[in-house]
Amino acid sequence: MAPETDIEGNVGPLDDVALEQIREVFRSVDGLVDDAGFDSRLDPTTLEIRFADGIGDADWCRFDVRWFQRGYYSFHYTDERGVNFRFDYHPKPNAPDKHFHAPPEARSSDPEPSCIVATEPTVVARAVHSLWRRAYETGSLTLLNEAENPP
């Protein structure tokens, strides 16, 4: 299932205030952020955070972020090599509400518990960034979901 249709349960409408806070976190914590804006000015559905570099051999990457008014979220990473992973928080049958879809495909069928336990938008954004930054600096995807209550 495509990430944009993978959110299950009643998550409510997007929370544009939370998305603005998340955008500011990424802009302030990483000089590799090229751009951070919404996919549409008239009817935004996703905050797109673009980086000038990616993990390993990727020359660029992007997080597509959705935060909902009920506090649920999705941080979906994709890059030029087709690598994907996601940190999600939403109801999902046969999975914990907070879960991680592992790279390289971020398949919906086998999520694992997420190491991110925070629920506040700026803290979750810092946690996702911290985990991404570690993977970026090491060039490895293996520890993306390995941390104790990041950031």
Side-chain angles (χ1 to χ4, degrees):
M1 191 177 287
E4 59 274 359
T5 60
D6 192 32
I7 299 291
E8 301 176 43
N10 186 4
V11 297
L14 285 179
D15 186 336
D16 34 342
V17 171
L19 289 169
E20 287 288 350
Q21 293 171 344
I22 292 165
R23 175 165 58 177
E24 290 311 310
V25 166
F26 275 90
R27 281 182 170 165
S28 68
V29 298
D30 205 301
L32 288 174
V33 173
D34 253 355
D35 188 31
F38 293 96
D39 59 339
S40 166
R41 288 181 187 244
L42 297 176
D43 187 22
T45 61
T46 304
L47 170 64
E48 297 175 347
I49 302 168
R50 298 176 186 276
F51 289 79
D53 203 2
I55 298 170
D57 294 331
D59 289 332
W60 62 266
C61 69
R62 181 182 77 229
F63 274 100
D64 294 332
V65 182
R66 293 176 297 148
W67 194 283
F68 301 93
Q69 288 183 5
R70 293 190 175 192
Y72 296 114
Y73 61 79
S74 176
F75 284 75
H76 175 212
Y77 170 96
T78 190
D79 67 27
E80 65 168 295
R81 298 177 304 142
V83 172
N84 291 273
F85 62 82
R86 283 194 330 272
F87 289 96
D88 286 352
Y89 173 38
H90 62 88
K92 184 169 182 68
N94 302 316
D97 286 354
K98 293 178 184 171
H99 52 273
F100 176 72
H101 298 270
E105 298 166 343
R107 290 189 317 222
S108 294
S109 59
D110 56 357
E112 57 191 66
S114 175
C115 67
I116 299 173
V117 298
T119 58
E120 204 277 322
T122 59
V123 177
V124 174
R126 285 186 180 96
V128 170
H129 175 265
S130 174
L131 295 164
W132 172 83
R133 190 68 186 187
R134 180 177 61 187
Y136 173 77
E137 290 174 359
T138 62
S140 173
L141 300 167
T142 59
L143 298 176
L144 278 167
N145 192 35
E146 299 290 326
E148 286 193 37
N149 196 18

